[in-house]
């Protein structure tokens, strides 16, 4: 769990990728952490003001988010003999870590509430935990979830977990099998930010279809296409064109 770390602390306004992406017509980017942890760090929406001070890149008023992840990137148990000590090693373990984190965040909140009810000077405050404070923001819907995901089983698992814990899910990132459970995603009110026609770059992507985006859109899911790449981010016009080709979107 690393939900206390922030992309906003390490923005580089002189990164040449910002310049190249501006040249390709991109003006705003949603910058997310990687997908190695069940709960990753805090995201940052930026305006591509290349060369400006770092703070000027931040998109004022953008809803704060956080990166979650499911699947092989997290458990890594199929990556070979050197990847046998990571915790968790199973998809079921990922679900339990997520649930346990939010239960711990609620307990953390209760400990502070109990402290504040006591007369001043009669008790020591609980030890401050930035990780649980961030998790509590997520639990309260003050920080929305973007979750790296692929397979239908894990998509459905997280839909049910979010419903149970009343979590606010902005989007399933990638969600290449989202077309299989699109009605459930629509009921949750979550979006999907998917690829246009990426597939087979790893086994989790084996059931990807280029009509995923169009099918989700017609099912009432707020749908977008992401780049996941500093290079592809300057060619998003071609990604949009693929959505017209595959599925007949306008």
């Amino acid at each position: 769990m690393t939900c206390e770390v922030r992309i906003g602390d390490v923005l580089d306004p002189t990164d040449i990728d910002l310049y190249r992406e501006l040249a390709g017509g991109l003006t705003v980017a949603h910058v997310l952490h990687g997908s190695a942890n069940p709960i990753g760090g805090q995201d940052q929406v930026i305006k591509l003001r290349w060369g400006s001070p770092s703070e000027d890149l931040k998109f004022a008023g953008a809803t704060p988010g956080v990166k979650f992840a499911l699947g092989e990137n997290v458990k890594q148990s199929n990556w070979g003999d050197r990847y046998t000590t990571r915790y968790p090693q199973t998809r079921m373990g990922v679900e339990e870590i997520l649930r346990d984190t939010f239960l711990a965040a609620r307990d953390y909140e209760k400990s502070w509430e109990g402290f504040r009810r006591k007369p001043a000077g009669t008790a020591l405050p609980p030890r401050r935990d930035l990780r649980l404070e961030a998790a509590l923001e997520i639990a309260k819907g003050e920080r929305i979830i973007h979750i790296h995901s692929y397979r239908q089983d894990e998509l459905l698992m997280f839909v049910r977990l979010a419903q149970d814990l009343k979590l606010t899910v902005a989007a399933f990132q990638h969600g290449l099998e989202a077309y299989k459970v699109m009605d459930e995603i629509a009921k949750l009110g979550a979006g999907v930010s998917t690829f246009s026609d990426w597939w087979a770059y790893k086994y989790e992507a084996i059931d990807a279809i280029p009509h995923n985006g169009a099918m989700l859109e017609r099912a009432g899911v707020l749908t977008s296409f992401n780049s996941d790449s500093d290079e592809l981010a300057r060619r998003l016009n071609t990604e949009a064109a693929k959505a017209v080709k595959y599925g007949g979107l306008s």
Side-chain angles (χ1 to χ4, degrees), residues 129-166:
D129 190 314
L130 297 179
R131 186 172 297 176
L132 290 179
E133 285 183 12
L136 198 55
E137 289 180 1
I138 300 164
K140 292 179 175 180
E142 297 168 0
R143 185 172 296 281
I144 57 179
I145 295 168
H146 294 267
I147 182 160
H148 166 103
S149 51
Y150 281 88
R151 288 181 10 178
Q152 64 168 334
D153 52 351
E154 64 189 17
L155 287 161
L156 191 56
M157 174 278 289
F158 196 77
V159 166
R160 290 170 175 163
L161 184 67
Q163 290 169 335
D164 185 26
L165 299 178
K166 297 180 173 55

Side-chain angles (χ1 to χ4, degrees), residues 16-241:
I16 194 62
D17 291 318
L18 300 185
Y19 186 88
R20 291 168 176 162
E21 287 160 13
L22 278 167
L26 194 72
T27 61
V28 178
H30 182 204
V31 188
L32 290 160
H33 282 264
S35 50
N37 302 315
I39 301 179
Q42 299 171 28
D43 65 4
Q44 185 65 56
V45 180
I46 64 171
K47 289 283 288 182
L48 274 61
R49 300 184 175 102
W50 188 73
S52 297
S54 296
E55 286 299 308
D56 289 354
L57 266 63
K58 296 178 180 179
F59 196 119
T63 304
V66 67
K67 177 69 176 289
F68 280 33
L70 305 172
E72 294 296 335
N73 283 38
V74 177
K75 66 187 188 71
Q76 300 181 11
S77 56
N78 294 320
W79 290 16
D81 294 338
R82 291 190 300 165
Y83 296 88
T84 57
T85 59
R86 187 171 178 84
Y87 181 80
Q89 286 267 285
T90 66
R91 294 175 196 273
M92 291 181 290
V94 173
E95 177 183 359
E96 288 310 308
I97 276 186
L98 295 173
R99 187 180 296 276
D100 287 350
T101 297
F102 289 112
L103 293 176
R106 294 297 188 191
D107 289 341
Y108 177 72
E109 181 181 37
K110 289 175 183 176
S111 68
W112 275 100
E113 290 172 350
F115 167 73
R116 294 186 184 104
R117 284 195 296 267
K118 294 177 180 178
T122 62
L124 291 173
R127 181 176 181 273
R128 190 175 179 196
D129 190 314
L130 297 179
R131 186 172 297 176
L132 290 179
E133 285 183 12
L136 198 55
E137 289 180 1
I138 300 164
K140 292 179 175 180
E142 297 168 0
R143 185 172 296 281
I144 57 179
I145 295 168
H146 294 267
I147 182 160
H148 166 103
S149 51
Y150 281 88
R151 288 181 10 178
Q152 64 168 334
D153 52 351
E154 64 189 17
L155 287 161
L156 191 56
M157 174 278 289
F158 196 77
V159 166
R160 290 170 175 163
L161 184 67
Q163 290 169 335
D164 185 26
L165 299 178
K166 297 180 173 55
L167 303 176
T168 304
V169 182
F172 290 93
Q173 298 289 334
H174 313 328
L176 296 188
E177 292 188 22
Y179 65 94
K180 298 180 181 181
V181 289
M182 56 190 177
D183 292 338
E184 297 302 317
I185 293 173
K187 288 177 188 174
L188 181 63
V192 175
S193 185
T194 188
F195 295 130
S196 57
D197 61 351
W198 288 27
W199 75 288
Y201 50 91
K202 58 179 177 178
Y203 195 75
E204 281 184 304
I206 199 70
D207 274 356
I209 60 172
H211 292 76
N212 188 39
M215 291 174 68
L216 290 166
E217 175 70 18
R218 294 190 177 109
V221 177
L222 182 62
T223 306
S224 61
F225 292 102
N226 64 48
S227 65
D228 206 41
S229 156
D230 53 359
E231 181 62 28
L232 190 60
R234 64 192 182 112
R235 296 187 173 85
L236 285 172
N237 55 332
T238 61
E239 298 304 287

